[in-house]
Amino acid sequence: MESNIHSFDTECSVLSSIILEPALLDQQMIGTGLFYETSHKQIASVLIQIYLEKGTIDPITVADRIQDQGLFPQQSALQYITELCENNVGTTSYKDHIRLLQRYKSRRKLYNLLDDCSVSVAALDKDPTEIIETLQSELLQIQGKTGEHDGEKISDALVRYIQELDGRITGVEPDTTLITGISQLDKRLTKLYPGHITVIGGRPSHGKTVLAMQIATNAAISGHRVLVFTLEMMNIELAERVVSAYAGIKLKNLMTTKINNNEWTDIQGFAENAKHYDITLYEINKLKLNTLMQIIRMEHFKKPIDLIILDYIQLMSYPSHKEVEALGDISKEIKSLCKSLQMHAVVVSQLNRYCEARKDKRPMMSDLKASGQIEQDASNIVFCYRDEVYNKDDQNNKGIIELITDKARKGVTGIDTMTFEGEYQRIVDLKPRYTFGESNES
């Protein structure tokens, strides 16, 4: 089993590389926890001490420090350090070897965790639910500490970027960005990028969920993996709305079961196609932040996620007297997870009522609940506004929705006027003809 949780040669390579080329520590620091061998932990500790003291790192200095501290009582420290350096095959793989040691470290933690859990289960002194929760929490910590927070020189980042860009152009590398599938919004936002958040805000009945589900379904149709967390509706209600939008059947007819044979055929046809769409719905009331993080990480472990939808953030579980602080924490954690897992998040947000007291009721960023942190974390902020909600007798605005892009980190802010087909639960371009589901990206 020991060969699966550590590599003697890799540990030797990292330590000797530092002794031969101390500047490597400027590129990436080490910790004693990376090493399994006791002697290697001791050498690493000495190297860290000398580095922090801004002293000279060489075989003799390191050996003297080890000898002074009595770390190698049974053998010559200088002889061991000299042999370590003589067997070094080169320092160019230093970072790769660090990452390898980080994986071995995670394996050791995982082995110890599972061993502790098996002891707890056998002892029968803990509730199984408590053991499972502890296991999930510890697993997430291990998963989150496998080296993804390593520093990187900008020159290295530029090399990776140019290689990735060339790969996307030539088709060798997959394009990990997404589009909304709504032509005017795609022109404005350009793309939905991994590691970023798009906030969709609006007052009730203005089309927030319609827009979010349209983006989710279009992404799934395009071959992306999507997770949807619905805190307000049931999964079956969302499914009904998607059928209405994509099978082209009025929602009222679905709800009252007034469906003709042709429409039934269309429903079955869409359901058959949907088998190929990788979109998973989670219907959870009072969703806790830890639960959300656990589900996303576990789903991502099964298969990488491209997009998550959270509808909506204010319905998550948090102390009501700390709403601003709690919503800010949720936003920061989602942003951090998006960067870590390289996925995009669409977060639906309710607005406060102050906008309805204004003469011009169009939303703005200050209308977002707990707006400070959410506004900061979001790369894109899009508001849904339907004037007919307030002015029902004005026929000019009937069936019109304004998508107000108030923030677009890689795009252009502005307002796009589109058609809101409420009877089909979808948003379409203002065109005489429109085939729903087609991409109009240009």
Side-chain angles (χ1 to χ4, degrees):
M1 190 275 293
E2 285 196 0
S3 62
N4 294 326
I5 60 173
H6 87 295
S7 168
F8 184 87
D9 291 339
T10 306
E11 291 185 7
C12 290
S13 174
V14 168
L15 292 173
S16 60
S17 293
I18 294 171
I19 296 170
L20 294 171
E21 194 175 333
L24 290 172
L25 285 176
D26 294 329
Q27 299 178 24
Q28 187 166 1
M29 194 56 170
I30 61 169
T32 56
L34 279 178
F35 303 92
Y36 178 78
E37 296 287 338
T38 301
S39 58
H40 292 167
K41 285 179 179 290
Q42 294 170 340
I43 296 171
S45 177
V46 167
L47 290 173
I48 294 169
Q49 290 173 17
I50 298 174
Y51 177 79
L52 294 178
E53 294 168 2
K54 297 185 178 179
T56 300
I57 294 178
D58 58 42
I60 295 176
T61 304
V62 174
D64 284 346
R65 182 72 66 95
I66 291 173
Q67 210 72 54
D68 290 343
Q69 295 183 12
L71 299 179
F72 279 27
Q74 303 299 326
Q75 63 185 119
S76 166
L78 181 59
Q79 180 183 350
Y80 188 84
I81 297 298
T82 300
E83 291 176 356
L84 205 65
C85 295
E86 286 177 349
N87 292 326
N88 184 277
V89 294
T91 62
T92 55
S93 299
Y94 174 73
K95 284 189 176 182
D96 291 332
H97 288 171
I98 288 283
R99 280 190 282 270
L100 184 58
L101 292 185
Q102 285 167 336
R103 287 197 287 271
Y104 279 119
K105 178 183 176 182
S106 295
R107 285 183 183 177
R108 292 195 295 273
K109 285 187 173 183
L110 182 58
Y111 178 83
N112 292 332
L113 173 61
L114 295 177
D115 190 47
D116 291 343
C117 284
S118 65
V119 171
S120 297
V121 171
L124 300 176
D125 60 348
K126 288 186 179 180
D127 183 79
T129 302
E130 182 183 348
I131 296 174
I132 292 171
E133 288 179 352
T134 301
L135 178 60
Q136 288 178 334
S137 176
E138 294 292 335
L139 283 172
L140 290 178
Q141 290 186 33
I142 293 173
Q143 192 174 15
K145 295 177 181 178
T146 53
E148 68 266 31
H149 303 302
D150 298 343
E152 182 179 28
K153 286 184 175 294
I154 190 170
S155 57
D156 296 335
L158 285 170
V159 169
R160 287 197 305 111
Y161 168 73
I162 292 171
Q163 290 174 341
E164 181 183 310
L165 180 63
D166 180 65
R168 293 205 308 267
I169 292 172
T170 58
V172 175
E173 292 289 335
D175 187 351
T176 56
T177 59
L178 298 92
I179 60 173
T180 68
I182 301 169
S183 60
Q184 292 186 48
L185 198 57
D186 285 327
K187 290 176 183 177
R188 192 166 293 286
L189 300 180
T190 64
K191 297 276 189 176
L192 302 182
Y193 291 87
H196 292 245
I197 295 177
T198 293
V199 170
I200 297 176
R203 291 293 294 157
S205 302
H206 281 259
K208 303 186 302 296
T209 300
V210 171
L211 178 58
M213 284 306 299
Q214 199 162 321
I215 292 172
T217 310
N218 286 343
I221 290 173
S222 299
H224 296 285
R225 184 162 193 239
V226 183
L227 256 60
V228 176
F229 294 88
T230 171
L231 282 65
E232 184 177 31
M233 295 185 182
M234 294 185 293
N235 288 345
I236 197 167
E237 291 179 292
L238 284 182
E240 185 176 56
R241 286 180 171 224
V242 171
V243 168
S244 176
Y246 287 82
I249 300 169
K250 293 181 179 180
L251 182 62
K252 183 178 180 181
N253 290 353
L254 291 171
M255 296 174 69
T256 59
T257 65
K258 293 181 179 179
I259 304 168
N260 59 41
N261 290 336
N262 289 336
E263 289 174 331
W264 185 247
T265 300
D266 291 338
I267 293 172
Q268 292 177 316
F270 175 73
E272 186 64 29
N273 290 334
K275 292 179 181 179
H276 306 290
Y277 307 155
D278 197 348
I279 181 168
T280 303
L281 308 179
Y282 275 93
E283 171 194 321
I284 305 176
N285 294 325
K286 295 295 181 181
L287 177 63
K288 294 181 179 180
L289 178 59
N290 285 343
T291 304
L292 176 68
M293 299 292 105
Q294 288 173 3
I295 291 173
I296 292 173
R297 284 194 179 276
M298 285 189 289
E299 287 284 357
H300 189 80
F301 181 76
K302 297 176 188 175
K303 181 183 177 183
I305 300 166
D306 300 306
L307 175 68
I308 65 166
I309 308 288
L310 178 61
D311 184 19
Y312 56 88
I313 188 172
Q314 283 82 11
L315 286 180
M316 290 192 65
S317 178
Y318 54 83
S320 59
H321 64 285
K322 294 184 177 180
E323 181 178 38
V324 173
E325 179 183 341
L327 290 176
D329 289 342
I330 293 170
S331 177
K332 284 188 289 187
E333 288 297 325
I334 292 174
K335 174 72 173 180
S336 176
L337 194 62
C338 283
K339 292 175 67 176
S340 174
L341 302 185
Q342 283 298 287
M343 64 183 184
H344 192 92
V346 171
V347 176
V348 180
S349 176
Q350 186 62 271
L351 305 181
N352 59 49
R353 297 176 180 174
Y354 300 134
C355 60
E356 296 186 339
R358 297 193 298 261
K359 184 177 180 180
D360 185 350
K361 297 175 173 56
R362 289 175 176 81
M364 57 184 68
M365 280 195 275
S366 58
D367 295 324
L368 285 167
K369 286 191 175 182
S371 61
Q373 190 63 49
I374 296 175
E375 178 184 334
Q376 178 179 317
D377 292 331
S379 296
N380 308 308
I381 298 178
V382 181
F383 295 112
C384 299
Y385 176 75
R386 295 173 57 216
D387 193 69
E388 68 174 321
V389 173
Y390 304 109
N391 302 298
K392 300 184 186 299
D393 296 331
D394 187 349
Q395 296 299 311
N396 292 327
N397 290 324
K398 190 171 181 62
I400 297 298
I401 185 171
E402 294 179 17
L403 300 183
I404 304 169
T405 302
D406 221 350
K407 182 179 181 181
R409 184 162 294 170
K410 297 191 178 185
V412 181
T413 59
I415 300 176
D416 293 300
T417 303
M418 307 188 73
T419 298
F420 182 79
E421 294 185 345
E423 58 187 359
Y424 295 104
Q425 292 295 293
R426 63 192 184 189
I427 299 169
V428 299
D429 289 344
L430 288 172
K431 292 181 180 180
R433 293 178 176 226
Y434 183 84
T435 303
F436 198 74
E438 289 184 350
S439 173
N440 297 305
E441 187 190 22
S442 62

